[in-house]
Amino acid sequence: MSFRRHLPHYLMIAPFMILFAAFFLYPIVSGLFYSFHDWNGVQPPVYVGLGNYAKILQSRDFNRAMINLATYIALTVPLGILAALGLALLVDSFTPRWSNVFRNAFFMPVVLPAFLSATIWRWIYAPNFGLLNTILGMFGVGSVNFLNDTGTMLYALIAVDIWVSAGFNMVIILAGLKNIPTELYEAARLDGASKWQQTVFVTLPMLGPVLFFVFTYGFISAMQVFDKPWLLTGSSFASYGGRRNALLFPVMDMMGRAFGGVKFGEAAAYGFLLTVAIVAVTALMFAVRSWRERT
Amino acid sequence: MIAVPRRNNKGLAWTVFRFALALLIALIAIFPIWWMLNVVFAHPGEPVSLNPRLWPTSLSAGLSKIQAILAETGYLRAYGVSVAYALLTILGVLAVASLAAFEFALFDFPGRRLFFAVVLLALMVPTAVTIIPTYLLTSRLGWLNTMQGLVVPGLASAFGLFMLVQFMRAIPKDMIEAARLDGASHLQIYWHVALPLCRNALVTLAILTFIQTWGNYMWPLIISTQTDMYTVGQVVGLYNSPLSHNTVDTVMTANLLAALPPLIFFLIFQRKIVEGVAMSGTKG
């Protein structure tokens, strides 16, 4: 009786829920199953317990990918947010019309698909004839092979990434700026606060939650970086990671194991390791935030 | 000449400085895109970056390069695949998410909270964990190198559902009741009351879905392994491969054609796109 009364509701959510179960819930459960098996996609899976996990944790590629990732995150997340904050404050200081113009200009790189920004920058970074080397040449600096020199590869990627993410984060911070009540600034002005003091003592504290979101989101997406380093290092399962794996990242390593090495069990286990890492980092950030709010 | 009050001098200098800084940053943000245009619209054989030109020199040369790229069936085909992939995904996401959002936002039924909570959980799960198993499932369904293999796994968009639910919650319950008293069926209320009221959200979701599917690189990379199912992203990747020996002209022309749809979309819908991104940030 009750079920029949609610039947229309269930029918309406059914398309979504069925697709969701099939292409989200089921993959997670089956992925967990595969992660404990050795499987090449053809022969039947062989149970190996935690073997896949152990193999990944002990592999040199995993170590390399983790070191690259740590350096990448340590630079790209804080610098990207700092740049975004600067851009947002700058954009916000203009009249609405100009503010709109500059906001759109700064946002432009975000609209380009990542595969395009990577391919454009690949040519800007090209050795000898590349734009960047031409400019450096004008200042008498010899040609640098940015994407093949282990000393510059990571920084070349970080530059492209900040070029994109600053615009993205700027838009979110701008939305946060709009939500700050103007009365707070009036009160600060009455107390004799300068523009600079208003920024430090009103704007930044009020942006706290937005900055927290941008930071957490930036962290989570940086941990899954794939398109840009993949394309910057040759866009194939033969050459990913670049010279001496200086641009190898966890998701690339995972994809390489699945489609380069046909080890689907190992790749599934890799996905779970990454997820655990991401969840742990996110939980840690929330814990730090609530601890700071209490003290 | 009107004397400018002295204390404004500092303000004027500050304004000039802010404009100069903003222009410089805008230049850095747009320059790579502008450079791509310059390379395409230049006489072939003109040195591309030995002498970085700051403006295009030949419209006709650019057009003939574009023609040459489009004449390659591979590119045109990939364009078709990408357009179909994007359009079908948009239609599917809008239909499936709006039906479900209508129920989750406006009605109560046993299991509603649980279902919705499970979907929200998906917003927090990284794609890294689902991509391999989803690929295995899709391949087992025999959907490799098919349009349904590209489209269907992406239709249950947790973000889309969440966004539409936020909007539909604002619809007054009285309106639903009034429609019901007028004899409207459940589906009619959805179609004639709820959908028109959240048209803005639907448009924003459609645009964001377009930009996202057009730019999706990882999923087509593993699902479309045969050249006739390649998307634009994969073809651009091919042009860009160090083994392809293409000149920078050709590569940038291929890039430009791939960049046009999202750039045009942005120029038309910039407000909605920016609002959509901001919303995904401040409410998510």
Side-chain angles (χ1 to χ4, degrees):
Chain A
M1 163 67 199
S2 149
F3 181 79
R4 274 190 65 173
R5 188 159 54 88
H6 294 297
L7 189 62
H9 303 303
Y10 293 121
L11 283 178
M12 298 278 274
I13 66 167
F16 187 96
M17 294 314 290
I18 290 170
L19 284 167
F20 184 77
F23 293 101
F24 182 80
L25 296 180
Y26 171 77
I28 287 193
V29 175
S30 74
L32 196 61
F33 170 83
Y34 289 127
S35 79
F36 298 117
H37 291 76
D38 199 358
W39 194 42
N40 61 9
V42 184
Q43 272 129 6
V46 180
Y47 181 75
V48 291
L50 290 171
N52 286 328
Y53 291 92
K55 212 187 241 169
I56 294 165
L57 291 171
Q58 286 160 3
S59 77
R60 279 181 61 189
D61 284 355
F62 177 78
N63 274 338
R64 187 72 255 162
M66 279 312 185
I67 293 168
N68 290 344
L69 183 68
T71 327
Y72 171 77
I73 289 180
L75 287 172
T76 204
V77 176
L79 287 179
I81 291 173
L82 222 55
L85 185 62
L87 291 185
L89 290 175
L90 182 65
V91 163
D92 200 47
S93 74
F94 292 107
T95 54
R97 210 177 122 201
W98 282 105
S99 154
N100 226 344
V101 168
F102 286 124
R103 186 195 64 185
N104 283 352
F106 300 165
F107 190 72
M108 207 74 112
V110 186
V111 186
L112 282 195
F115 66 76
L116 270 178
S117 39
T119 51
I120 295 176
W121 279 86
R122 203 181 143 82
W123 284 87
I124 294 180
Y125 282 137
N128 301 320
F129 303 107
L131 182 67
L132 199 55
N133 269 312
T134 311
I135 295 171
L136 286 179
M138 290 172 181
F139 296 98
V141 180
S143 176
V144 183
N145 196 344
F146 291 98
L147 294 176
N148 202 32
D149 184 330
T150 49
T152 54
M153 288 163 82
L154 195 58
Y155 303 102
L157 169 70
I158 290 169
V160 181
D161 217 57
I162 292 177
W163 179 69
V164 176
S165 68
F168 181 85
N169 290 332
M170 169 196 73
V171 160
I172 295 168
I173 296 175
L174 273 173
L177 284 176
K178 292 228 172 68
N179 287 336
I180 302 177
T182 44
E183 294 88 51
L184 287 179
Y185 291 104
E186 272 156 33
R189 215 173 302 138
L190 286 178
D191 288 345
S194 69
K195 274 262 171 224
W196 174 249
Q197 284 169 325
Q198 287 173 31
T199 306
V200 174
F201 296 110
V202 179
T203 312
L204 289 185
M206 288 302 286
L207 276 182
V210 172
L211 291 178
F212 175 76
F213 169 81
V214 169
F215 195 76
T216 314
Y217 186 84
F219 219 105
I220 292 173
S221 46
M223 287 182 89
Q224 302 187 69
V225 61
F226 175 78
D227 295 9
K228 284 180 221 118
W230 180 269
L231 283 149
L232 286 174
T233 54
S235 60
S236 81
F237 285 103
S239 64
Y240 67 95
R243 186 182 165 86
R244 287 163 76 191
N245 277 339
L247 277 185
L248 182 72
F249 290 95
V251 174
M252 289 164 86
D253 195 10
M254 176 186 87
M255 296 283 279
R257 282 170 207 248
F259 301 102
V262 220
K263 290 176 179 148
F264 290 114
E266 229 175 279
Y270 215 119
F272 276 96
L273 277 178
L274 266 174
T275 304
V276 168
I278 291 172
V279 169
V281 165
T282 317
L284 186 73
M285 285 184 189
F286 275 95
V288 168
R289 187 178 72 155
S290 65
W291 172 75
R292 277 200 46 196
E293 272 167 4
R294 264 185 281 123
T295 52
Chain B
M1 194 179 135
I2 303 158
V4 181
R6 248 195 90 140
R7 62 193 170 85
N8 268 8
N9 275 355
K10 198 181 144 207
L12 184 70
W14 177 234
T15 306
V16 170
F17 172 75
R18 277 190 294 125
F19 261 95
L21 185 66
L23 276 175
L24 180 74
I25 298 170
L27 209 67
I28 296 172
I30 297 177
F31 189 77
I33 303 167
W34 180 244
W35 178 76
M36 168 173 77
L37 271 170
N38 281 345
V39 174
V40 175
F41 292 98
H43 292 295
E46 264 182 31
V48 170
S49 46
L50 282 173
N51 176 19
R53 277 168 287 91
L54 292 178
W55 47 85
T57 54
S58 167
L59 182 66
S60 59
L63 291 179
S64 69
K65 284 176 208 170
I66 289 174
Q67 243 168 13
I69 289 277
L70 288 181
E72 288 186 33
T73 50
Y75 200 90
L76 214 54
R77 208 190 147 81
Y79 225 79
V81 171
S82 275
V83 169
Y85 170 37
L87 289 185
L88 290 172
T89 307
I90 291 171
L91 285 179
V93 164
L94 289 189
V96 165
S98 67
L99 278 170
F102 176 64
E103 300 299 333
F104 282 124
L106 297 167
F107 300 96
D108 208 2
F109 49 91
R112 183 184 72 117
R113 279 165 177 277
L114 177 73
F115 285 147
F116 196 52
V118 171
V119 175
L120 287 194
L121 215 59
L123 284 173
M124 287 161 232
V125 173
T127 28
V129 72
T130 51
I131 192 151
I132 302 289
T134 309
Y135 163 81
L136 293 170
L137 172 67
T138 313
S139 108
R140 209 188 272 165
L141 289 169
W143 285 1
L144 291 188
N145 291 301
T146 64
M147 192 49 78
Q148 65 267 34
L150 272 178
V151 173
V152 178
L155 290 186
S157 158
F159 168 72
L161 177 68
F162 175 68
M163 183 177 163
L164 293 181
V165 163
Q166 295 289 339
F167 270 82
M168 291 206 194
R169 272 192 185 140
I171 297 175
K173 290 257 163 63
D174 302 350
M175 239 163 146
I176 308 285
E177 275 312 304
R180 174 147 301 153
L181 288 177
D182 286 346
S185 73
H186 206 61
L187 262 179
Q188 281 171 328
I189 298 175
Y190 158 78
W191 188 256
H192 293 293
V193 180
L195 278 195
L197 284 174
C198 65
R199 198 158 73 197
N200 251 328
L202 290 170
V203 173
T204 307
L205 180 59
I207 297 164
L208 291 180
T209 308
F210 173 80
I211 290 187
Q212 197 211 327
T213 32
W214 191 265
N216 195 343
Y217 183 76
M218 204 199 290
W219 185 245
L221 177 74
I222 56 178
I223 287 300
S224 312
T225 51
Q226 280 160 17
T227 43
D228 60 344
M229 273 306 285
Y230 275 1
T231 58
V232 166
Q234 286 165 284
V235 172
V236 165
L238 282 184
Y239 273 101
N240 194 51
S241 151
L243 306 170
S244 74
H245 299 296
N246 278 307
T247 59
V248 65
D249 293 55
T250 323
V251 180
M252 285 308 145
T253 313
N255 282 1
L256 179 67
L257 287 175
L260 278 182
L263 284 181
I264 291 172
F265 254 68
F266 179 59
L267 291 178
I268 301 174
F269 298 112
Q270 40 100 0
R271 265 193 74 155
K272 289 214 182 313
I273 293 174
V274 168
E275 275 166 13
V277 167
M279 209 197 73
S280 68
T282 44
K283 282 189 188 157

